[in-house]
Amino acid sequence: MRFKSELKYSEVTPRAAYLNRRQIMAAAAGTGLLAATPAFAQEKVDVSFNGFDTSEKPNSFEEITNYNNFYEFGTGKEDPAANAGQLTTDPWSVEIGGLVDKPGTYDLADVIGGKDIDERIYRFRCVEGWSMVIPWNGFELNQLLAQVGVQPSAKYVRFETLYRPDEMPGQRRAILDWPYVEGLRLDEAMNPLTLMATGLYGEDLPKQNGAPLRLVVPWKYGFKSIKSIVKIDLTAEEPVNTWKDANFREYGFYSNVNPTVNHPRWSQAQERRIGGGVFAKPQETLMFNGYGDWVADMYAGMDLTKFF
Ligand SMILES: Nc1nc2c(c(=O)[nH]1)N[C@H]1C(S)=C(S)[C@@H](COP(=O)(O)O)O[C@H]1N2
Ligand SMILES: [Mo]
């Protein structure tokens, strides 16, 4: 099931002003994107979804790449943009193991190769209470899982970020228990919304956003979307994710966006859209970040206050 919109928002939004048509075409070709030809800039200001894509206005490239959480490069929002330049992302490989038919160390080219690279304009909601709209490029994680062959006993997927303190100054401090780890239940990992992002705005993923490969799970709080992945394991047991490990009273495994379950120290009912300006009114946070039609069934019968 695929809902591809004719018009690619990345070509009509502020970032497009920085790139001429030719560069956009080249960038799109480089990521394997089929560049659509935008005839006009369609006005869409509602919050409904067009296929997988939100019709809300995407944040600018500058906003998306200068306001980040990537604690390996420091805890400040500007630290990743300032410090991630020193990260070596080529060569890059991903070790895939656990309950799979074809375990091994896969070069990035073999991870990305043969996949349908799509553009997905997703809402993104951080557990801290801010949000953005981001035009990602990437492929559905289920394509990679099909490639390596998931064994019947596998129930979860565990992801690990690169551990390289030489290039990641935050890892020289005990901010978190490194390396950063995240996990999904297998059905969540197989969901067509779950993306392995390789780019944004038609360009290779900037380092501060998790180059060269990061997870994007748009119905969950941002911390589930683990960056700069070097290891993927299929497991029978629920993996221990870094933020739950750091504080299980405040952060769970599921971490579904839920305006009715507050963080112990703040409300989750509303969110502040980055770029809206200091006087912008907060907006209502949506259950599953607005993706309930695609994901609510997976949690039928579960107590989401207990499994938060
Ligand atoms: N490895 C790693 N992945 C991470 C983080 C991190 O600190 N380290 N921060 C998470 C959090 S809290 C958020 S909100 C998003 C931020 O993604 P962005 O900077 O691309 O917006 O990345 C997530 N992935
Ligand atoms: Mo976050």
Side-chain angles (χ1 to χ4, degrees):
M1 186 174 62
R2 219 157 246 275
F3 306 89
K4 287 201 181 190
S5 58
E6 281 293 301
L7 184 74
K8 292 298 177 188
Y9 255 85
S10 60
E11 299 180 354
V12 297
T13 50
R15 179 56 179 165
Y18 291 86
L19 298 169
N20 65 35
R21 177 77 195 143
R22 207 188 151 111
Q23 284 171 313
I24 292 169
M25 295 296 283
T31 56
L33 261 182
L34 272 179
T37 307
F40 55 93
Q42 216 170 298
E43 268 304 313
K44 292 185 198 168
V45 289
D46 62 302
V47 293
S48 64
F49 288 85
N50 167 24
F52 290 127
D53 294 345
T54 177
S55 57
E56 288 168 276
K57 184 176 178 286
N59 281 90
S60 69
F61 185 83
E62 284 63 31
E63 287 159 353
I64 297 166
T65 57
N66 287 289
Y67 187 94
N68 300 100
N69 274 333
F70 200 168
Y71 279 18
E72 284 84 343
F73 296 102
T75 54
K77 296 286 180 277
E78 281 118 49
D79 290 342
N83 298 327
Q86 57 192 295
L87 178 67
T88 308
T89 55
D90 183 15
W92 193 273
S93 58
V94 183
E95 198 187 323
I96 306 181
L99 303 167
V100 296
D101 295 333
K102 294 178 228 163
T105 301
Y106 291 75
D107 281 341
L108 185 64
D110 300 326
V111 174
I112 297 175
K115 310 297 190 295
D116 300 323
I117 303 283
D118 209 354
E119 178 179 74
R120 296 284 176 88
I121 303 162
Y122 280 164
R123 314 170 99 245
F124 189 86
R125 169 61 156 84
C126 175
V127 74
E128 296 165 340
W130 54 267
S131 66
M132 293 202 204
V133 171
I134 306 183
W136 303 104
N137 310 108
F139 59 88
E140 292 176 10
L141 174 61
N142 59 54
Q143 295 186 68
L144 180 62
L145 296 178
Q147 180 185 351
V148 298
V150 176
Q151 297 184 347
S153 51
K155 298 284 180 283
Y156 296 89
V157 188
R158 180 187 182 277
F159 306 86
E160 214 176 277
T161 293
L162 176 73
Y163 179 70
R164 195 183 284 159
D166 284 356
E167 294 182 354
M168 295 175 138
Q171 289 181 336
R172 293 174 222 150
R173 300 192 284 141
I175 304 165
L176 290 170
D177 191 8
W178 311 112
Y180 195 102
V181 172
E182 259 308 335
L184 294 173
R185 219 170 57 188
L186 186 58
D187 57 340
E188 299 175 325
M190 295 298 289
N191 191 286
L193 283 174
T194 303
L195 205 68
M196 292 296 273
T198 55
L200 60 87
Y201 271 116
E203 298 185 9
D204 284 348
L205 204 56
K207 291 177 180 178
Q208 59 267 41
N209 295 92
L213 189 72
R214 61 94 57 91
L215 188 67
V216 176
V217 199
W219 72 95
K220 294 177 178 284
Y221 290 120
F223 67 84
K224 296 297 288 183
S225 293
I226 182 174
K227 295 176 168 181
S228 304
I229 295 166
V230 292
K231 200 168 185 292
I232 299 175
D233 280 297
L234 277 288
T235 67
E237 305 295 328
E238 185 180 291
V240 178
N241 52 309
T242 292
W243 278 104
K244 183 176 181 181
D245 185 47
N247 192 337
F248 68 90
R249 286 188 179 80
E250 299 192 351
Y251 308 102
F253 173 77
Y254 283 92
S255 315
N256 292 314
V257 174
N258 188 340
T260 70
V261 176
N262 289 331
H263 186 280
R265 290 182 282 131
W266 59 83
S267 165
Q268 294 292 27
Q270 295 188 318
E271 65 200 57
R272 182 175 57 88
R273 182 61 54 83
I274 298 302
V278 267
F279 300 111
K281 267 188 21 197
Q283 61 188 76
E284 302 304 308
T285 286
L286 304 176
M287 186 66 203
F288 297 119
N289 202 23
Y291 294 95
D293 286 356
W294 289 270
V295 304
D297 283 358
M298 295 193 290
Y299 311 105
M302 270 178 73
D303 180 351
L304 297 180
T305 62
K306 190 165 170 241
F307 298 97
F308 61 90

